Amino acid sequence: MADFDDDEYESLDLNDEDPRESASSQDLAEVDDDSDNDGSDSDDDLDDLEDADPEDVDFIVAAYREDGQSMVNALSEELANDLDELILQLRRLPGDGGAVGLVSLVGEVAVIVRVRGRHVQLLLNDSAAANDWPIARDVADFLGEDIPEDDDDEAEPIGDLGILKDLGLSEFDLTAMCDDLDLGSDQLLTEVADKIKIGPQFRKVVDSEFGD
């Protein structure tokens, strides 16, 4: 991506890492099978979330820089249900300074994943989505955030709103975008792509790989 600061990432070398070993420090919280009956029903409800079908996935792409050039690639729609595997795949990309994953589901759920070596940052545009979608639940678990009990609660983002500030998207602007309820998740992430200066490549991949 055009605005990566190479000096900021000079200590990172993705190619020298074992992705699975790196992921061990970022494992998602697991449900305690030995827990008391109190609350076990809610845990079971979370485990029973149905995966997003391919038609639910607006797009899932990875953006990174290789040899100074901005690259955008489509990712498997199956990764839209598995945060652990998505992180592993992003870590394997040959980016100069890591990679950014952008996931949009049903025009409502936006997930941003940024992986730089062992460092993982996440943002979910609506915490209530953790009641309905596995990847949103995974984000909430990863962050240690409580899952709203009521889907009708006011939508609010969880995670790192400064996730892309060094790439040209300020925390203030990203917060405003997430708070705009008239902005669908696909539109939100398209604006994100424009802000971090990968808009043309992003649109080309989304249109060719995920268009109707």
Side-chain angles (χ1 to χ4, degrees), residues 83 86 90 100-103 110-114 120-125 139 158 160 163-164 169 174 178 188-189 192 196:
L83 179 63
L86 175 56
L90 291 173
V100 175
L102 303 174
V103 184
V111 176
I112 303 175
V113 183
R114 189 171 185 186
V120 176
Q121 295 167 277
L122 301 171
L123 180 68
L124 171 66
N125 70 321
V139 171
I158 58 173
D160 188 352
I163 188 171
L164 301 171
L169 179 53
L174 185 51
C178 289
L188 187 159
L189 293 178
V192 167
I196 63 175

mmCIF file with all atom_site columns, all heavy atoms in Angstrom, residues 83 86 90 100-103 110-114 120-125 139 158 160 163-164 169 174 178 188-189 192 196:
data_model
loop_
_atom_site.group_PDB
_atom_site.id
_atom_site.type_symbol
_atom_site.label_atom_id
_atom_site.label_alt_id
_atom_site.label_comp_id
_atom_site.label_asym_id
_atom_site.label_entity_id
_atom_site.label_seq_id
_atom_site.pdbx_PDB_ins_code
_atom_site.Cartn_x
_atom_site.Cartn_y
_atom_site.Cartn_z
_atom_site.occupancy
_atom_site.B_iso_or_equiv
_atom_site.pdbx_formal_charge
_atom_site.auth_seq_id
_atom_site.auth_comp_id
_atom_site.auth_asym_id
_atom_site.auth_atom_id
_atom_site.pdbx_PDB_model_num
ATOM 1   N N   . LEU A 1 83  ? -11.517 -16.640 11.832 1.00 0.00 ? 83  LEU A N   1
ATOM 2   C CA  . LEU A 1 83  ? -10.536 -15.589 12.068 1.00 0.00 ? 83  LEU A CA  1
ATOM 3   C C   . LEU A 1 83  ? -9.132  -16.139 12.214 1.00 0.00 ? 83  LEU A C   1
ATOM 4   O O   . LEU A 1 83  ? -8.169  -15.564 11.700 1.00 0.00 ? 83  LEU A O   1
ATOM 5   C CB  . LEU A 1 83  ? -10.922 -14.790 13.317 1.00 0.00 ? 83  LEU A CB  1
ATOM 6   C CG  . LEU A 1 83  ? -9.961  -13.661 13.698 1.00 0.00 ? 83  LEU A CG  1
ATOM 7   C CD1 . LEU A 1 83  ? -9.907  -12.593 12.606 1.00 0.00 ? 83  LEU A CD1 1
ATOM 8   C CD2 . LEU A 1 83  ? -10.367 -13.039 15.036 1.00 0.00 ? 83  LEU A CD2 1
ATOM 9   N N   . LEU A 1 86  ? -7.799  -16.888 8.809  1.00 0.00 ? 86  LEU A N   1
ATOM 10  C CA  . LEU A 1 86  ? -7.594  -15.644 8.073  1.00 0.00 ? 86  LEU A CA  1
ATOM 11  C C   . LEU A 1 86  ? -6.301  -14.973 8.520  1.00 0.00 ? 86  LEU A C   1
ATOM 12  O O   . LEU A 1 86  ? -5.514  -14.501 7.691  1.00 0.00 ? 86  LEU A O   1
ATOM 13  C CB  . LEU A 1 86  ? -8.785  -14.706 8.299  1.00 0.00 ? 86  LEU A CB  1
ATOM 14  C CG  . LEU A 1 86  ? -8.674  -13.308 7.695  1.00 0.00 ? 86  LEU A CG  1
ATOM 15  C CD1 . LEU A 1 86  ? -8.416  -13.360 6.188  1.00 0.00 ? 86  LEU A CD1 1
ATOM 16  C CD2 . LEU A 1 86  ? -9.937  -12.503 7.995  1.00 0.00 ? 86  LEU A CD2 1
ATOM 17  N N   . LEU A 1 90  ? -3.068  -14.202 6.096  1.00 0.00 ? 90  LEU A N   1
ATOM 18  C CA  . LEU A 1 90  ? -2.512  -12.850 5.966  1.00 0.00 ? 90  LEU A CA  1
ATOM 19  C C   . LEU A 1 90  ? -1.033  -12.831 6.360  1.00 0.00 ? 90  LEU A C   1
ATOM 20  O O   . LEU A 1 90  ? -0.222  -12.155 5.734  1.00 0.00 ? 90  LEU A O   1
ATOM 21  C CB  . LEU A 1 90  ? -3.300  -11.857 6.839  1.00 0.00 ? 90  LEU A CB  1
ATOM 22  C CG  . LEU A 1 90  ? -4.734  -11.566 6.396  1.00 0.00 ? 90  LEU A CG  1
ATOM 23  C CD1 . LEU A 1 90  ? -5.441  -10.707 7.444  1.00 0.00 ? 90  LEU A CD1 1
ATOM 24  C CD2 . LEU A 1 90  ? -4.767  -10.865 5.035  1.00 0.00 ? 90  LEU A CD2 1
ATOM 25  N N   . VAL A 1 100 ? -3.340  -6.364  5.279  1.00 0.00 ? 100 VAL A N   1
ATOM 26  C CA  . VAL A 1 100 ? -4.641  -5.948  5.798  1.00 0.00 ? 100 VAL A CA  1
ATOM 27  C C   . VAL A 1 100 ? -5.718  -6.797  5.139  1.00 0.00 ? 100 VAL A C   1
ATOM 28  O O   . VAL A 1 100 ? -5.750  -6.918  3.903  1.00 0.00 ? 100 VAL A O   1
ATOM 29  C CB  . VAL A 1 100 ? -4.913  -4.454  5.518  1.00 0.00 ? 100 VAL A CB  1
ATOM 30  C CG1 . VAL A 1 100 ? -6.330  -4.069  5.952  1.00 0.00 ? 100 VAL A CG1 1
ATOM 31  C CG2 . VAL A 1 100 ? -3.882  -3.577  6.218  1.00 0.00 ? 100 VAL A CG2 1
ATOM 32  N N   . GLY A 1 101 ? -6.588  -7.391  5.940  1.00 0.00 ? 101 GLY A N   1
ATOM 33  C CA  . GLY A 1 101 ? -7.734  -8.125  5.422  1.00 0.00 ? 101 GLY A CA  1
ATOM 34  C C   . GLY A 1 101 ? -8.998  -7.312  5.600  1.00 0.00 ? 101 GLY A C   1
ATOM 35  O O   . GLY A 1 101 ? -9.203  -6.694  6.655  1.00 0.00 ? 101 GLY A O   1
ATOM 36  N N   . LEU A 1 102 ? -9.837  -7.281  4.560  1.00 0.00 ? 102 LEU A N   1
ATOM 37  C CA  . LEU A 1 102 ? -11.110 -6.557  4.588  1.00 0.00 ? 102 LEU A CA  1
ATOM 38  C C   . LEU A 1 102 ? -12.228 -7.545  4.284  1.00 0.00 ? 102 LEU A C   1
ATOM 39  O O   . LEU A 1 102 ? -12.233 -8.174  3.220  1.00 0.00 ? 102 LEU A O   1
ATOM 40  C CB  . LEU A 1 102 ? -11.107 -5.428  3.559  1.00 0.00 ? 102 LEU A CB  1
ATOM 41  C CG  . LEU A 1 102 ? -9.979  -4.389  3.671  1.00 0.00 ? 102 LEU A CG  1
ATOM 42  C CD1 . LEU A 1 102 ? -10.029 -3.428  2.491  1.00 0.00 ? 102 LEU A CD1 1
ATOM 43  C CD2 . LEU A 1 102 ? -10.068 -3.628  4.988  1.00 0.00 ? 102 LEU A CD2 1
ATOM 44  N N   . VAL A 1 103 ? -13.179 -7.672  5.219  1.00 0.00 ? 103 VAL A N   1
ATOM 45  C CA  . VAL A 1 103 ? -14.268 -8.631  5.085  1.00 0.00 ? 103 VAL A CA  1
ATOM 46  C C   . VAL A 1 103 ? -15.596 -7.900  5.227  1.00 0.00 ? 103 VAL A C   1
ATOM 47  O O   . VAL A 1 103 ? -15.803 -7.163  6.200  1.00 0.00 ? 103 VAL A O   1
ATOM 48  C CB  . VAL A 1 103 ? -14.197 -9.738  6.160  1.00 0.00 ? 103 VAL A CB  1
ATOM 49  C CG1 . VAL A 1 103 ? -15.290 -10.778 5.935  1.00 0.00 ? 103 VAL A CG1 1
ATOM 50  C CG2 . VAL A 1 103 ? -12.819 -10.380 6.192  1.00 0.00 ? 103 VAL A CG2 1
ATOM 51  N N   . ALA A 1 110 ? -18.668 -5.428  8.862  1.00 0.00 ? 110 ALA A N   1
ATOM 52  C CA  . ALA A 1 110 ? -17.345 -5.124  8.322  1.00 0.00 ? 110 ALA A CA  1
ATOM 53  C C   . ALA A 1 110 ? -16.283 -5.513  9.343  1.00 0.00 ? 110 ALA A C   1
ATOM 54  O O   . ALA A 1 110 ? -16.372 -5.143  10.520 1.00 0.00 ? 110 ALA A O   1
ATOM 55  C CB  . ALA A 1 110 ? -17.219 -3.643  7.987  1.00 0.00 ? 110 ALA A CB  1
ATOM 56  N N   . VAL A 1 111 ? -15.288 -6.259  8.883  1.00 0.00 ? 111 VAL A N   1
ATOM 57  C CA  . VAL A 1 111 ? -14.165 -6.664  9.728  1.00 0.00 ? 111 VAL A CA  1
ATOM 58  C C   . VAL A 1 111 ? -12.871 -6.234  9.044  1.00 0.00 ? 111 VAL A C   1
ATOM 59  O O   . VAL A 1 111 ? -12.686 -6.484  7.844  1.00 0.00 ? 111 VAL A O   1
ATOM 60  C CB  . VAL A 1 111 ? -14.149 -8.186  9.960  1.00 0.00 ? 111 VAL A CB  1
ATOM 61  C CG1 . VAL A 1 111 ? -12.919 -8.595  10.772 1.00 0.00 ? 111 VAL A CG1 1
ATOM 62  C CG2 . VAL A 1 111 ? -15.426 -8.641  10.659 1.00 0.00 ? 111 VAL A CG2 1
ATOM 63  N N   . ILE A 1 112 ? -12.008 -5.587  9.801  1.00 0.00 ? 112 ILE A N   1
ATOM 64  C CA  . ILE A 1 112 ? -10.673 -5.232  9.323  1.00 0.00 ? 112 ILE A CA  1
ATOM 65  C C   . ILE A 1 112 ? -9.665  -5.975  10.193 1.00 0.00 ? 112 ILE A C   1
ATOM 66  O O   . ILE A 1 112 ? -9.732  -5.913  11.426 1.00 0.00 ? 112 ILE A O   1
ATOM 67  C CB  . ILE A 1 112 ? -10.406 -3.723  9.394  1.00 0.00 ? 112 ILE A CB  1
ATOM 68  C CG1 . ILE A 1 112 ? -11.453 -2.948  8.589  1.00 0.00 ? 112 ILE A CG1 1
ATOM 69  C CG2 . ILE A 1 112 ? -8.998  -3.396  8.882  1.00 0.00 ? 112 ILE A CG2 1
ATOM 70  C CD1 . ILE A 1 112 ? -11.316 -1.430  8.706  1.00 0.00 ? 112 ILE A CD1 1
ATOM 71  N N   . VAL A 1 113 ? -8.760  -6.697  9.538  1.00 0.00 ? 113 VAL A N   1
ATOM 72  C CA  . VAL A 1 113 ? -7.720  -7.448  10.236 1.00 0.00 ? 113 VAL A CA  1
ATOM 73  C C   . VAL A 1 113 ? -6.375  -6.976  9.707  1.00 0.00 ? 113 VAL A C   1
ATOM 74  O O   . VAL A 1 113 ? -6.146  -6.981  8.497  1.00 0.00 ? 113 VAL A O   1
ATOM 75  C CB  . VAL A 1 113 ? -7.851  -8.965  9.990  1.00 0.00 ? 113 VAL A CB  1
ATOM 76  C CG1 . VAL A 1 113 ? -6.802  -9.733  10.786 1.00 0.00 ? 113 VAL A CG1 1
ATOM 77  C CG2 . VAL A 1 113 ? -9.252  -9.454  10.333 1.00 0.00 ? 113 VAL A CG2 1
ATOM 78  N N   . ARG A 1 114 ? -5.497  -6.570  10.601 1.00 0.00 ? 114 ARG A N   1
ATOM 79  C CA  . ARG A 1 114 ? -4.158  -6.144  10.181 1.00 0.00 ? 114 ARG A CA  1
ATOM 80  C C   . ARG A 1 114 ? -3.123  -7.014  10.891 1.00 0.00 ? 114 ARG A C   1
ATOM 81  O O   . ARG A 1 114 ? -3.130  -7.121  12.123 1.00 0.00 ? 114 ARG A O   1
ATOM 82  C CB  . ARG A 1 114 ? -3.915  -4.675  10.498 1.00 0.00 ? 114 ARG A CB  1
ATOM 83  C CG  . ARG A 1 114 ? -2.622  -4.154  9.870  1.00 0.00 ? 114 ARG A CG  1
ATOM 84  C CD  . ARG A 1 114 ? -2.504  -2.654  9.999  1.00 0.00 ? 114 ARG A CD  1
ATOM 85  N NE  . ARG A 1 114 ? -1.327  -2.165  9.294  1.00 0.00 ? 114 ARG A NE  1
ATOM 86  C CZ  . ARG A 1 114 ? -0.910  -0.909  9.323  1.00 0.00 ? 114 ARG A CZ  1
ATOM 87  N NH1 . ARG A 1 114 ? -1.588  0.013   10.013 1.00 0.00 ? 114 ARG A NH1 1
ATOM 88  N NH2 . ARG A 1 114 ? 0.164   -0.549  8.650  1.00 0.00 ? 114 ARG A NH2 1
ATOM 89  N N   . VAL A 1 120 ? -1.222  -8.426  15.794 1.00 0.00 ? 120 VAL A N   1
ATOM 90  C CA  . VAL A 1 120 ? -2.520  -8.497  15.140 1.00 0.00 ? 120 VAL A CA  1
ATOM 91  C C   . VAL A 1 120 ? -3.419  -7.392  15.685 1.00 0.00 ? 120 VAL A C   1
ATOM 92  O O   . VAL A 1 120 ? -3.543  -7.229  16.903 1.00 0.00 ? 120 VAL A O   1
ATOM 93  C CB  . VAL A 1 120 ? -3.198  -9.870  15.377 1.00 0.00 ? 120 VAL A CB  1
ATOM 94  C CG1 . VAL A 1 120 ? -4.600  -9.895  14.772 1.00 0.00 ? 120 VAL A CG1 1
ATOM 95  C CG2 . VAL A 1 120 ? -2.355  -10.991 14.790 1.00 0.00 ? 120 VAL A CG2 1
ATOM 96  N N   . GLN A 1 121 ? -4.034  -6.637  14.776 1.00 0.00 ? 121 GLN A N   1
ATOM 97  C CA  . GLN A 1 121 ? -5.020  -5.621  15.145 1.00 0.00 ? 121 GLN A CA  1
ATOM 98  C C   . GLN A 1 121 ? -6.340  -5.964  14.464 1.00 0.00 ? 121 GLN A C   1
ATOM 99  O O   . GLN A 1 121 ? -6.352  -6.442  13.328 1.00 0.00 ? 121 GLN A O   1
ATOM 100 C CB  . GLN A 1 121 ? -4.567  -4.231  14.695 1.00 0.00 ? 121 GLN A CB  1
ATOM 101 C CG  . GLN A 1 121 ? -3.312  -3.724  15.385 1.00 0.00 ? 121 GLN A CG  1
ATOM 102 C CD  . GLN A 1 121 ? -2.755  -2.492  14.673 1.00 0.00 ? 121 GLN A CD  1
ATOM 103 O OE1 . GLN A 1 121 ? -2.031  -2.631  13.687 1.00 0.00 ? 121 GLN A OE1 1
ATOM 104 N NE2 . GLN A 1 121 ? -3.094  -1.319  15.160 1.00 0.00 ? 121 GLN A NE2 1
ATOM 105 N N   . LEU A 1 122 ? -7.446  -5.677  15.164 1.00 0.00 ? 122 LEU A N   1
ATOM 106 C CA  . LEU A 1 122 ? -8.763  -6.022  14.656 1.00 0.00 ? 122 LEU A CA  1
ATOM 107 C C   . LEU A 1 122 ? -9.742  -4.873  14.850 1.00 0.00 ? 122 LEU A C   1
ATOM 108 O O   . LEU A 1 122 ? -9.633  -4.100  15.800 1.00 0.00 ? 122 LEU A O   1
ATOM 109 C CB  . LEU A 1 122 ? -9.315  -7.245  15.402 1.00 0.00 ? 122 LEU A CB  1
ATOM 110 C CG  . LEU A 1 122 ? -8.519  -8.539  15.347 1.00 0.00 ? 122 LEU A CG  1
ATOM 111 C CD1 . LEU A 1 122 ? -9.110  -9.547  16.316 1.00 0.00 ? 122 LEU A CD1 1
ATOM 112 C CD2 . LEU A 1 122 ? -8.514  -9.103  13.934 1.00 0.00 ? 122 LEU A CD2 1
ATOM 113 N N   . LEU A 1 123 ? -10.711 -4.816  13.951 1.00 0.00 ? 123 LEU A N   1
ATOM 114 C CA  . LEU A 1 123 ? -11.828 -3.892  14.113 1.00 0.00 ? 123 LEU A CA  1
ATOM 115 C C   . LEU A 1 123 ? -13.080 -4.540  13.553 1.00 0.00 ? 123 LEU A C   1
ATOM 116 O O   . LEU A 1 123 ? -13.072 -5.073  12.441 1.00 0.00 ? 123 LEU A O   1
ATOM 117 C CB  . LEU A 1 123 ? -11.567 -2.566  13.386 1.00 0.00 ? 123 LEU A CB  1
ATOM 118 C CG  . LEU A 1 123 ? -12.707 -1.541  13.504 1.00 0.00 ? 123 LEU A CG  1
ATOM 119 C CD1 . LEU A 1 123 ? -12.829 -1.032  14.937 1.00 0.00 ? 123 LEU A CD1 1
ATOM 120 C CD2 . LEU A 1 123 ? -12.509 -0.372  12.548 1.00 0.00 ? 123 LEU A CD2 1
ATOM 121 N N   . LEU A 1 124 ? -14.155 -4.490  14.340 1.00 0.00 ? 124 LEU A N   1
ATOM 122 C CA  . LEU A 1 124 ? -15.482 -4.941  13.924 1.00 0.00 ? 124 LEU A CA  1
ATOM 123 C C   . LEU A 1 124 ? -16.408 -3.744  14.012 1.00 0.00 ? 124 LEU A C   1
ATOM 124 O O   . LEU A 1 124 ? -16.448 -3.069  15.047 1.00 0.00 ? 124 LEU A O   1
ATOM 125 C CB  . LEU A 1 124 ? -15.969 -6.065  14.847 1.00 0.00 ? 124 LEU A CB  1
ATOM 126 C CG  . LEU A 1 124 ? -17.422 -6.515  14.696 1.00 0.00 ? 124 LEU A CG  1
ATOM 127 C CD1 . LEU A 1 124 ? -17.660 -7.166  13.337 1.00 0.00 ? 124 LEU A CD1 1
ATOM 128 C CD2 . LEU A 1 124 ? -17.801 -7.475  15.832 1.00 0.00 ? 124 LEU A CD2 1
ATOM 129 N N   . ASN A 1 125 ? -17.142 -3.462  12.943 1.00 0.00 ? 125 ASN A N   1
ATOM 130 C CA  . ASN A 1 125 ? -17.956 -2.240  12.925 1.00 0.00 ? 125 ASN A CA  1
ATOM 131 C C   . ASN A 1 125 ? -19.157 -2.289  13.851 1.00 0.00 ? 125 ASN A C   1
ATOM 132 O O   . ASN A 1 125 ? -19.672 -1.245  14.269 1.00 0.00 ? 125 ASN A O   1
ATOM 133 C CB  . ASN A 1 125 ? -18.425 -1.938  11.498 1.00 0.00 ? 125 ASN A CB  1
ATOM 134 C CG  . ASN A 1 125 ? -19.455 -2.932  10.988 1.00 0.00 ? 125 ASN A CG  1
ATOM 135 O OD1 . ASN A 1 125 ? -19.359 -4.133  11.244 1.00 0.00 ? 125 ASN A OD1 1
ATOM 136 N ND2 . ASN A 1 125 ? -20.450 -2.438  10.258 1.00 0.00 ? 125 ASN A ND2 1
ATOM 137 N N   . VAL A 1 139 ? -13.856 -12.232 16.586 1.00 0.00 ? 139 VAL A N   1
ATOM 138 C CA  . VAL A 1 139 ? -13.222 -10.939 16.868 1.00 0.00 ? 139 VAL A CA  1
ATOM 139 C C   . VAL A 1 139 ? -13.495 -10.528 18.312 1.00 0.00 ? 139 VAL A C   1
ATOM 140 O O   . VAL A 1 139 ? -12.578 -10.109 19.039 1.00 0.00 ? 139 VAL A O   1
ATOM 141 C CB  . VAL A 1 139 ? -13.731 -9.860  15.894 1.00 0.00 ? 139 VAL A CB  1
ATOM 142 C CG1 . VAL A 1 139 ? -13.245 -8.477  16.336 1.00 0.00 ? 139 VAL A CG1 1
ATOM 143 C CG2 . VAL A 1 139 ? -13.257 -10.148 14.471 1.00 0.00 ? 139 VAL A CG2 1
ATOM 144 N N   . ILE A 1 158 ? -16.018 -2.322  17.837 1.00 0.00 ? 158 ILE A N   1
ATOM 145 C CA  . ILE A 1 158 ? -15.082 -2.799  18.846 1.00 0.00 ? 158 ILE A CA  1
ATOM 146 C C   . ILE A 1 158 ? -13.747 -3.057  18.160 1.00 0.00 ? 158 ILE A C   1
ATOM 147 O O   . ILE A 1 158 ? -13.690 -3.411  16.995 1.00 0.00 ? 158 ILE A O   1
ATOM 148 C CB  . ILE A 1 158 ? -15.572 -4.067  19.565 1.00 0.00 ? 158 ILE A CB  1
ATOM 149 C CG1 . ILE A 1 158 ? -15.839 -5.212  18.571 1.00 0.00 ? 158 ILE A CG1 1
ATOM 150 C CG2 . ILE A 1 158 ? -16.811 -3.776  20.391 1.00 0.00 ? 158 ILE A CG2 1
ATOM 151 C CD1 . ILE A 1 158 ? -16.170 -6.536  19.262 1.00 0.00 ? 158 ILE A CD1 1
ATOM 152 N N   . ASP A 1 160 ? -9.610  -1.757  17.394 1.00 0.00 ? 160 ASP A N   1
ATOM 153 C CA  . ASP A 1 160 ? -8.650  -0.660  17.277 1.00 0.00 ? 160 ASP A CA  1
ATOM 154 C C   . ASP A 1 160 ? -9.063  0.291   16.160 1.00 0.00 ? 160 ASP A C   1
ATOM 155 O O   . ASP A 1 160 ? -8.842  0.019   14.983 1.00 0.00 ? 160 ASP A O   1
ATOM 156 C CB  . ASP A 1 160 ? -7.262  -1.231  16.998 1.00 0.00 ? 160 ASP A CB  1
ATOM 157 C CG  . ASP A 1 160 ? -6.173  -0.170  17.044 1.00 0.00 ? 160 ASP A CG  1
ATOM 158 O OD1 . ASP A 1 160 ? -6.503  1.025   17.143 1.00 0.00 ? 160 ASP A OD1 1
ATOM 159 O OD2 . ASP A 1 160 ? -4.992  -0.553  16.962 1.00 0.00 ? 160 ASP A OD2 1
ATOM 160 N N   . ILE A 1 163 ? -6.395  1.522   13.653 1.00 0.00 ? 163 ILE A N   1
ATOM 161 C CA  . ILE A 1 163 ? -5.745  0.400   12.985 1.00 0.00 ? 163 ILE A CA  1
ATOM 162 C C   . ILE A 1 163 ? -5.035  0.796   11.694 1.00 0.00 ? 163 ILE A C   1
ATOM 163 O O   . ILE A 1 163 ? -4.031  0.206   11.307 1.00 0.00 ? 163 ILE A O   1
ATOM 164 C CB  . ILE A 1 163 ? -6.788  -0.706  12.708 1.00 0.00 ? 163 ILE A CB  1
ATOM 165 C CG1 . ILE A 1 163 ? -6.147  -1.995  12.190 1.00 0.00 ? 163 ILE A CG1 1
ATOM 166 C CG2 . ILE A 1 163 ? -7.876  -0.236  11.778 1.00 0.00 ? 163 ILE A CG2 1
ATOM 167 C CD1 . ILE A 1 163 ? -7.137  -3.165  12.126 1.00 0.00 ? 163 ILE A CD1 1
ATOM 168 N N   . LEU A 1 164 ? -5.528  1.848   11.023 1.00 0.00 ? 164 LEU A N   1
ATOM 169 C CA  . LEU A 1 164 ? -4.971  2.247   9.723  1.00 0.00 ? 164 LEU A CA  1
ATOM 170 C C   . LEU A 1 164 ? -4.487  3.693   9.709  1.00 0.00 ? 164 LEU A C   1
ATOM 171 O O   . LEU A 1 164 ? -4.308  4.271   8.640  1.00 0.00 ? 164 LEU A O   1
ATOM 172 C CB  . LEU A 1 164 ? -6.023  2.045   8.621  1.00 0.00 ? 164 LEU A CB  1
ATOM 173 C CG  . LEU A 1 164 ? -6.553  0.619   8.457  1.00 0.00 ? 164 LEU A CG  1
ATOM 174 C CD1 . LEU A 1 164 ? -7.732  0.593   7.484  1.00 0.00 ? 164 LEU A CD1 1
ATOM 175 C CD2 . LEU A 1 164 ? -5.456  -0.319  7.985  1.00 0.00 ? 164 LEU A CD2 1
ATOM 176 N N   . LEU A 1 169 ? -5.756  6.827   7.202  1.00 0.00 ? 169 LEU A N   1
ATOM 177 C CA  . LEU A 1 169 ? -7.128  6.834   7.710  1.00 0.00 ? 169 LEU A CA  1
ATOM 178 C C   . LEU A 1 169 ? -7.081  7.062   9.214  1.00 0.00 ? 169 LEU A C   1
ATOM 179 O O   . LEU A 1 169 ? -6.730  6.174   9.987  1.00 0.00 ? 169 LEU A O   1
ATOM 180 C CB  . LEU A 1 169 ? -7.833  5.520   7.390  1.00 0.00 ? 169 LEU A CB  1
ATOM 181 C CG  . LEU A 1 169 ? -9.278  5.371   7.873  1.00 0.00 ? 169 LEU A CG  1
ATOM 182 C CD1 . LEU A 1 169 ? -10.145 6.531   7.422  1.00 0.00 ? 169 LEU A CD1 1
ATOM 183 C CD2 . LEU A 1 169 ? -9.863  4.042   7.404  1.00 0.00 ? 169 LEU A CD2 1
ATOM 184 N N   . LEU A 1 174 ? -12.342 7.030   10.800 1.00 0.00 ? 174 LEU A N   1
ATOM 185 C CA  . LEU A 1 174 ? -12.840 5.664   10.815 1.00 0.00 ? 174 LEU A CA  1
ATOM 186 C C   . LEU A 1 174 ? -13.994 5.514   11.803 1.00 0.00 ? 174 LEU A C   1
ATOM 187 O O   . LEU A 1 174 ? -14.969 4.799   11.535 1.00 0.00 ? 174 LEU A O   1
ATOM 188 C CB  . LEU A 1 174 ? -11.709 4.687   11.163 1.00 0.00 ? 174 LEU A CB  1
ATOM 189 C CG  . LEU A 1 174 ? -12.046 3.200   11.093 1.00 0.00 ? 174 LEU A CG  1
ATOM 190 C CD1 . LEU A 1 174 ? -12.690 2.826   9.760  1.00 0.00 ? 174 LEU A CD1 1
ATOM 191 C CD2 . LEU A 1 174 ? -10.798 2.360   11.339 1.00 0.00 ? 174 LEU A CD2 1
ATOM 192 N N   . CYS A 1 178 ? -17.804 4.244   10.840 1.00 0.00 ? 178 CYS A N   1
ATOM 193 C CA  . CYS A 1 178 ? -18.480 3.145   11.522 1.00 0.00 ? 178 CYS A CA  1
ATOM 194 C C   . CYS A 1 178 ? -19.789 3.603   12.161 1.00 0.00 ? 178 CYS A C   1
ATOM 195 O O   . CYS A 1 178 ? -20.741 2.816   12.264 1.00 0.00 ? 178 CYS A O   1
ATOM 196 C CB  . CYS A 1 178 ? -17.570 2.553   12.592 1.00 0.00 ? 178 CYS A CB  1
ATOM 197 S SG  . CYS A 1 178 ? -16.158 1.618   11.964 1.00 0.00 ? 178 CYS A SG  1
ATOM 198 N N   . LEU A 1 188 ? -18.569 1.032   3.420  1.00 0.00 ? 188 LEU A N   1
ATOM 199 C CA  . LEU A 1 188 ? -17.599 1.466   4.425  1.00 0.00 ? 188 LEU A CA  1
ATOM 200 C C   . LEU A 1 188 ? -16.198 1.017   4.040  1.00 0.00 ? 188 LEU A C   1
ATOM 201 O O   . LEU A 1 188 ? -15.244 1.812   4.048  1.00 0.00 ? 188 LEU A O   1
ATOM 202 C CB  . LEU A 1 188 ? -17.995 0.893   5.791  1.00 0.00 ? 188 LEU A CB  1
ATOM 203 C CG  . LEU A 1 188 ? -17.219 1.343   7.030  1.00 0.00 ? 188 LEU A CG  1
ATOM 204 C CD1 . LEU A 1 188 ? -18.068 1.092   8.280  1.00 0.00 ? 188 LEU A CD1 1
ATOM 205 C CD2 . LEU A 1 188 ? -15.887 0.610   7.187  1.00 0.00 ? 188 LEU A CD2 1
ATOM 206 N N   . LEU A 1 189 ? -16.063 -0.257  3.679  1.00 0.00 ? 189 LEU A N   1
ATOM 207 C CA  . LEU A 1 189 ? -14.736 -0.776  3.362  1.00 0.00 ? 189 LEU A CA  1
ATOM 208 C C   . LEU A 1 189 ? -14.229 -0.260  2.022  1.00 0.00 ? 189 LEU A C   1
ATOM 209 O O   . LEU A 1 189 ? -13.011 -0.162  1.816  1.00 0.00 ? 189 LEU A O   1
ATOM 210 C CB  . LEU A 1 189 ? -14.752 -2.304  3.392  1.00 0.00 ? 189 LEU A CB  1
ATOM 211 C CG  . LEU A 1 189 ? -14.984 -2.908  4.780  1.00 0.00 ? 189 LEU A CG  1
ATOM 212 C CD1 . LEU A 1 189 ? -15.028 -4.428  4.710  1.00 0.00 ? 189 LEU A CD1 1
ATOM 213 C CD2 . LEU A 1 189 ? -13.908 -2.448  5.773  1.00 0.00 ? 189 LEU A CD2 1
ATOM 214 N N   . VAL A 1 192 ? -12.741 2.891   3.028  1.00 0.00 ? 192 VAL A N   1
ATOM 215 C CA  . VAL A 1 192 ? -11.465 2.574   3.673  1.00 0.00 ? 192 VAL A CA  1
ATOM 216 C C   . VAL A 1 192 ? -10.384 2.357   2.617  1.00 0.00 ? 192 VAL A C   1
ATOM 217 O O   . VAL A 1 192 ? -9.264  2.895   2.723  1.00 0.00 ? 192 VAL A O   1
ATOM 218 C CB  . VAL A 1 192 ? -11.600 1.320   4.562  1.00 0.00 ? 192 VAL A CB  1
ATOM 219 C CG1 . VAL A 1 192 ? -10.218 0.792   4.973  1.00 0.00 ? 192 VAL A CG1 1
ATOM 220 C CG2 . VAL A 1 192 ? -12.425 1.628   5.806  1.00 0.00 ? 192 VAL A CG2 1
ATOM 221 N N   . ILE A 1 196 ? -6.822  4.555   2.125  1.00 0.00 ? 196 ILE A N   1
ATOM 222 C CA  . ILE A 1 196 ? -5.466  4.014   2.222  1.00 0.00 ? 196 ILE A CA  1
ATOM 223 C C   . ILE A 1 196 ? -4.841  3.827   0.832  1.00 0.00 ? 196 ILE A C   1
ATOM 224 O O   . ILE A 1 196 ? -3.842  3.138   0.683  1.00 0.00 ? 196 ILE A O   1
ATOM 225 C CB  . ILE A 1 196 ? -5.420  2.718   3.049  1.00 0.00 ? 196 ILE A CB  1
ATOM 226 C CG1 . ILE A 1 196 ? -6.228  1.591   2.390  1.00 0.00 ? 196 ILE A CG1 1
ATOM 227 C CG2 . ILE A 1 196 ? -5.921  2.978   4.460  1.00 0.00 ? 196 ILE A CG2 1
ATOM 228 C CD1 . ILE A 1 196 ? -6.113  0.255   3.131  1.00 0.00 ? 196 ILE A CD1 1
#
